[in-house]
Structures are given as structure tokens and as C-alpha cells.
């Protein structure tokens, strides 16, 4: 049987889902298993289990496998990364190799020629093999090389050393970036301390230390990062911003670089943007069914302002691009003014802000309106001037999309008032406000159903997310929760999903992130209250009375769906 048929036979996917995957396979070089994983229909663990059944190759858990460095070094790093393989054992002229695709005979032949041994393939999960490659081929070699050569590197030679392509520092910086990309990091932090230099990765919104480097590496490492970001390496007293473009594992990566002078030297943060990931469809943003209907309806309006609110790093730009991707067509002209332009979109006119020559959001937006666009996207409403021009644009028949930094959808209205925009203009121009946050998603590889705790039951009960049967079991149904103590065998306790921790998620129980939203549609009743300059508390009461669902509700809904946990939701969304 073909592997797709095995997935259907085991009840992992439907016939229709298999057909859709096979159609997609025609346009890509990906295998059907990879396509189904990308679509979230199966997990990597399920794929290797079906491969084990179909092909008869044993499966290994890389997280529990001890690797001998001498064995690892038998296969060059370039070969290991090219085919996503890693040797785990050698014995009697044979080498056992963990492979994502054990039927890749080209890879097997290359390994045989490189090692002069017969190859015994075993199956492993791709993410576990990639982590093992990063960990075992990682940064150790170049750090050691640099330590040996440090005596030869004097301060006056930092620039030449950082420019030398054969230098260990060049290799070290490349490996820091490559390792971050492979671990799905969104940011790299190079933090100077009093006695050392700390390299941290932000993965799924959480910072963790990756490497502690000796203090005397700071100058040459900083110089190298500045050189590839095209910054002035002689300027150490002022903040600078730059950009790096490079290929990592055949993927185009854009990196925004920011330097900041501190008492211990320059702090450097690199924001990683994976251009190959592309723009998500609106259906893939994680909007609930009700929010998706409202969002889709509001972006189809011919005019008005649609604002996406949230703190830095909450996915606002991704949501904007998804909306633009759906609206983009031959019959409309879309112009954007951004700082920076994060994703290139075909058919969209994109303008990069350059404040040094006077091209700001406000001046760019003013010029854009003379270009006769249908849809305008402004990267951010930062000041009163930008907000005022955006309002005027919406009132003259343009659909304006933008972002703003506020804590909730309703507080965006008071923020615009504080900027100096008249309340009657806000009421007549703003059509929709979407507030969002990102929370970590439960790892699909190690997810398990467990009985809910008291606090989880209380939140779910208070917001009406328990069935009547679950209400009776958990409490009185009035929000007063009775602790679950030894329920009867016929009763089913309220269940939630948690990650047990595995190699795929690095024992965290989480992998990837999902957004929680609130979608506020400005209707006639709300417009009337805005014009009357009613306080935010009164606006909130009106919305609650008319069935508005806030971010906390959406987060609790995603807990019920098994996507995240109460800890993640409460960390991202304040409990009122």
C-alpha cells in the first residue's frame, strides 16, 4: 500500500484530505508525509510510525540516544545537513545512521563512500535529527579555534579579523545564525555582561541562553555582526539599525539588526524573518469561527479603517499581510508604507520609511493618496499626524489597514482620542479593531489529555465553556466550583491538554505559537457612544451586554480545543 493509503486506513486523515495533499504534491517537490505535517493533519511521530509499519525499518528516539562524537565525525557536517542524517553507532564495519527518509539511496551511497562502511538506516523524526545535528556539529569547534587564536588577535586587528572569510569568528557568527534558524528562533540576543558575552535565542516567545562566550571575544564578534549588517563599526556611542540577507539551508532569511550602547559594551539584537515561510492565509491565523466570519467581512468593505492592536511581537504584521494577501488582485491597487518592509508581495506597491531623508509614515501616506490606491496599508499609527491622514483617507473612499500599540480593542478608541483625533471622526472612520496576543501551542508530539485543575475549571465555567454535564460534575453551574475528588467511574472529569515534554519540543511541552484574538466591529450603537466621549468602562459594559467575546474568552476556547494551556493564556492576557 502507498503511504497515503496507510494514513487513511489508520484513520489519521480522510480520503478528501489525501486527495487535496496529492494535488498540492504536483506543484511542489515535497513528499506526501511532509505536506500532511505542514497542513497539521498528522504529526511527525505518526509519520515515522507509519513508515516503520510500511518499510520495516526500526524507529529511534534521538532524544534518548547517546551519540559518540568520534562516530558523529565520520560523516561531514555538510553531508549530514544536506540529507538530514546523523550517525548513531558503528560496529563491525557497519554504520547505523538515523535518517528522515531511509529510502534515499543517493544519501546512503554518499555516506557509504564518505565512511567506507556499509550503511544501516533507521528512521527518526526530522526535528530530532536537526536538533542532534545542531547540537553535535554546533558551535564548539569554532569557539575552540577562536580561543586558540585569541592571542594572535589584537584589538587593532578586530576589523581585519572580522572581514577574513577564513577566520573562526566568521564561522562562529554563521553558526550562531544558522543554529537560531534551525531552532525556529525569532530573535538572537547578544548581551554583554561584566565578565562574559551571553548569546540568547527567543524561541516561541521565551528567551533562553544558548552560549556564554569569553569577554575578550566581544569586540571581534560585534565587529563581524556590524560588518555584515553594513553598520559603522567605529561608532560605538550611538544606537544603529541595519539589515542582513543570507541563505540558510536553502531558505532566504532577512535579519533586522539593532545595536544599543550599554555600560558593558554594545548590546545587539537580531530579528529573524523567514521569507521562505510566505504569507499565511486568513484561515490559518488561528481565528475562531465567529471571529473569522467578522474579520473576513470587514476587510471586504470598500472604505474605513481596520486596526490591528497589540504589543511588539504579537503577530500584528502577519495578520496585516494575510489580509493583504486575500485582497490582492488585478482589479485593485494596494500601496503600503512600512518600517521595515518585512515581506515582499507581488502586485503590491511597497514603500520603505526613511526618516533620515524625511520619508515618514505621515509624509509617505500623504504622497500615497495621490497615487489613486484602493487599499492603503500603514505599518503603524505612531503619531497624531499619521492617524489624522489615515482618518481622512478612509473618509475619502479608501480602505486603510494599520497597526497600533494598545492593550485591548476598546482601549484603541481612547488612544486615538489621546492622540488628538476628534471623537466624531473616529466614530465615522474606524470600522473594525482586532486585538491579539501570541501564546505557546501545546506540542503535538507529546500532547496528552489530563484532568483539569480547580482554577482551570473555574475559568472555563465562569465563561460558559463547560457543558451542562461538566458543570454538574465540577460544581453548581453558578461559577462556584466544587473540587473534583475521586469522581465516580461513570463520570468523566473535565479534560485539558498538556505536553509531557519530548525531544521535539526540547522537554518544554510546547512547540510553535498560536494567536488569541478579539474582533471589535464598530456598529451604530457603539458609534453613538464614541461620539458622546463615553469612558472606556462604559464602552466595555455595552460590548459585554451585546455578546462581545474578549481575548481571554478566545484563549479559554483554545484551551478547550487542546491548543494551549491556562498558564500561557493568563501570561498573555490580563484577567479582569
Amino acid at each position: 500500500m502507498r503511504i497515503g493509503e496507510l494514513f487513511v486506513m489508520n484513520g489519521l486523515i480522510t480520503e478528501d484530505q489525501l486527495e487535496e495533499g496529492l494535488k498540492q504534491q504536483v506543484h511542489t517537490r515535497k513528499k506526501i508525509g511532509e505536506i500532511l505535517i505542514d497542513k497539521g493533519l498528522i504529526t511527525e511521530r505518526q509519520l515515522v510510525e507509519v513508515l516503520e509499519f510500511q518499510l520495516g525499518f526500526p524507529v529511534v528516539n534521538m532524544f534518548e540516544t547517546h551519540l559518540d562524537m568520534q562516530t558523529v565525525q565520520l560523516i561531514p557536517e555538510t553531508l549530514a545537513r544536506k540529507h538530514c542524517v546523523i550517525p548513531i553507532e558503528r560496529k563491525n564495519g557497519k554504520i547505523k545512521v538515523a535518517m528522515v527518509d531511509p529510502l534515499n539511496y543517493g544519501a546512503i551511497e554518499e555516506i557509504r563512500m564518505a565512511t567506507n562502511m556499509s550503511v544501516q538506516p533507521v528512521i527518526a523524526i526530522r526535528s530530532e535529527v536537526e536538533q542532534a545535528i545542531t547540537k553535535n556539529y554546533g558551535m564548539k569547534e569554532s569557539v575552540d579555534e577562536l580561543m586558540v587564536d585569541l592571542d594572535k588577535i589584537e584589538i587593532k586587528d578586530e576589523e581585519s579579523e572580522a572581514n577574513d572569510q577564513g577566520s573562526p569568528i566568521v564561522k562562529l557568527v554563521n553558526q550562531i545564525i544558522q543554529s537560531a534558524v534551525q531552532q525556529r528562533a525569532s530573535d538572537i540576543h547578544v548581551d554583554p555582561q561584566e565578565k562574559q558575552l551571553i548569546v540568547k535565542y527567543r524561541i516561541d516567545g521565551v528567551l533562553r541562553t544558548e552560549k556564554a562566550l569569553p569577554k575578550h571575544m566581544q569586540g571581534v564578534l560585534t565587529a563581524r555582526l556590524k560588518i555584515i549588517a553594513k553598520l559603522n563599526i567605529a561608532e560605538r556611542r550611538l544606537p544603529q539599525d541595519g539589515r542582513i540577507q543570507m541563505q540558510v539551508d536553502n531558505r532566504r532569511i532577512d535579519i533586522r539588526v539593532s545595536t544599543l550602547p550599554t555600560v558593558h559594551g554594545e548590546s545587539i539584537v537580531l530579528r529573524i524573518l523567514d521569507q521562505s515561510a510566505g504569507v499565511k492565509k486568513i484561515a490559518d491565523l488561528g481565528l475562531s469561527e465567529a471571529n473569522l466570519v467578522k474579520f473576513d467581512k470587514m476587510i471586504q468593505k470598500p472604505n474605513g479603517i481596520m486596526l490591528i492592536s497589540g504589543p511588539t511581537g504579537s503577530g500584528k504584521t502577519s495578520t496585516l499581510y494575510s489580509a493583504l494577501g486575500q485582497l490582492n488582485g488585478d482589479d485593485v491597487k494596494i500601496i503600503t508604507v512600512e518600517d521595515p518592509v518585512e515581506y515582499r508581495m507581488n502586485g503590491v506597491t511597497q514603500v520603505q520609511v526613511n526618516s533620515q531623508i524625511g520619508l515618514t509614515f505621515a509624509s509617505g501616506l500623504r504622497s500615497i493618496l495621490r497615487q489613486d490606491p484602493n487599499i492603503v496599508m500603514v505599518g503603524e499609527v505612531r503619531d497624531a499626524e499619521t492617524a489624522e491622514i489615515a482618518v481622512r483617507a478612509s473618509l475619502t473612499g479608501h480602505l486603510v489597514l494599520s497597526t497600533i500599540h494598545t492593550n485591548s480593542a476598546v482601549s484603541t478608541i481612547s488612544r486615538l482620542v489621546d492622540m488628538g483625533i476628534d471623537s466624531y471622526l473616529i466614530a465615522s472612520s474606524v470600522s473594525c479593531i482586532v486585538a491579539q496576543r501570541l501564546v505557546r501551542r501545546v506540542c503535538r508530539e507529546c500532547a496528552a489529555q489530563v484532568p483539569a485543575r480547580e482554577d482551570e475549571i473555574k475559568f472555563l465555567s465562569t465563561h460558559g465553556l463547560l457543558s451542562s454535564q461538566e458543570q454538574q460534575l465540577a460544581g453548581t453551574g453558578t461559577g462556584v466550583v466544587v473540587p473534583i475528588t475521586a469522581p465516580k467511574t461513570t463520570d468523566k472529569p473535565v479534560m485539558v491538554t498538556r505536553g509531557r515534554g519530548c525531544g521535539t519540543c526540547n522537554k518544554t511541552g510546547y512547540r510553535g505559537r498560536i494567536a488569541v484574538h478579539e474582533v471589535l466591529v464598530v456598529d451604530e450603537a457603539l458609534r453613538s457612544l464614541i461620539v458622546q466621549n463615553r469612558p472606556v468602562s462604559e464602552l466595555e459594559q455595552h460590548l459585554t451586554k451585546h455578546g462581545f467575546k474578549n481575548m481571554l474568552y478566545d484563549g479559554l476556547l483554545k484551551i478547550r480545543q487542546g491548543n494551549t494551556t491556562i498558564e500561557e493564556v493568563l501570561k498573555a492576557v490580563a484577567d479582569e
Side-chain angles (χ1 to χ4, degrees), residues 323-332 334 345-348 375:
L324 289 181
Q326 179 154 321
L327 295 170
N328 192 12
D330 294 335
D331 57 338
V332 294
I334 302 174
M345 294 187 73
N346 291 328
V348 175
I375 300 165

Side-chain angles (χ1 to χ4, degrees), residues 286-466:
L287 288 157
S288 67
E289 191 173 338
N291 284 339
L292 180 60
V293 170
K294 287 192 282 187
F295 186 91
D296 196 42
K297 181 180 178 182
M298 297 314 294
I299 65 170
Q300 302 299 333
K301 289 175 70 80
N303 54 51
I305 298 177
M306 185 171 192
L307 293 170
I308 316 294
S309 82
T312 301
S314 58
K316 301 188 298 295
T317 305
S318 297
T319 303
L320 275 184
Y321 275 111
S322 296
L324 289 181
Q326 179 154 321
L327 295 170
N328 192 12
D330 294 335
D331 57 338
V332 294
K333 179 161 186 174
I334 302 174
I335 306 182
T336 75
V337 53
E338 307 169 62
D339 183 23
V341 175
E342 294 191 7
Y343 296 97
R344 307 290 197 272
M345 294 187 73
N346 291 328
V348 175
T349 305
Q350 296 175 277
V351 178
Q352 168 73 54
V353 165
N354 188 344
S355 56
Q356 292 180 348
I357 60 171
L359 180 53
T360 62
F361 279 119
S363 63
L365 181 54
R366 194 179 289 110
S367 300
I368 279 174
L369 297 178
R370 301 190 196 109
Q371 294 277 315
D372 187 31
N374 301 94
I375 300 165
V376 176
M377 193 269 266
V378 185
E380 184 183 340
V381 175
R382 292 181 180 173
D383 50 50
E385 189 181 6
T386 307
E388 189 174 339
I389 299 168
V391 167
R392 300 291 179 190
S394 70
L395 294 175
T396 52
H398 302 89
L399 176 62
V400 181
L401 307 176
S402 189
T403 69
I404 191 166
H405 287 270
T406 56
N407 291 326
S408 64
V410 70
S411 65
T412 301
I413 295 167
S414 62
R415 173 80 177 113
L416 292 171
V417 171
D418 291 342
M419 282 183 173
I421 308 301
D422 292 329
S423 56
Y424 74 91
L425 287 175
I426 297 170
S428 56
S429 61
V430 177
S431 58
C432 181
I433 305 167
V434 180
Q436 67 179 64
R437 300 286 188 279
L438 292 178
V439 296
R440 288 189 292 174
R441 187 195 290 267
V442 173
C443 174
R444 297 177 73 238
E445 300 293 337
C446 61
Q449 291 278 303
V450 297
R453 300 190 309 261
E454 273 187 57
D455 59 332
E456 293 171 309
I457 294 171
K458 181 179 179 180
F459 275 109
L460 294 170
S461 173
T462 304
H463 289 79
L465 286 167
L466 296 182

Side-chain angles (χ1 to χ4, degrees), residues 6 90 258 317 436 545:
L6 284 171
R90 61 173 173 175
S258 170
T317 305
Q436 67 179 64
K545 185 178 177 181

Side-chain angles (χ1 to χ4, degrees), residues 439-443 497 510 514 557-565:
V439 296
R440 288 189 292 174
R441 187 195 290 267
V442 173
C443 174
T497 306
Y510 299 98
I514 189 171
L557 184 63
K558 287 178 168 66
I559 292 172
R560 287 251 71 181
Q561 293 166 346
N563 290 319
T564 188
T565 63

Side-chain angles (χ1 to χ4, degrees), residues 127-164:
S127 57
E128 291 185 4
V129 175
E130 287 175 347
Q131 283 187 37
I133 291 171
T134 300
K135 179 181 177 182
N136 289 279
Y137 289 103
M139 292 182 274
K140 186 175 185 301
E141 180 187 352
S142 59
V143 173
D144 291 343
E145 285 180 18
L146 192 55
M147 291 293 288
V148 170
D149 294 342
L150 267 176
D151 293 335
K152 305 173 187 176
I153 304 172
E154 299 176 14
I155 295 177
K156 64 181 181 181
D157 293 328
E158 279 179 1
E159 184 174 353
S160 60
E161 183 69 25
N163 265 316
D164 181 6

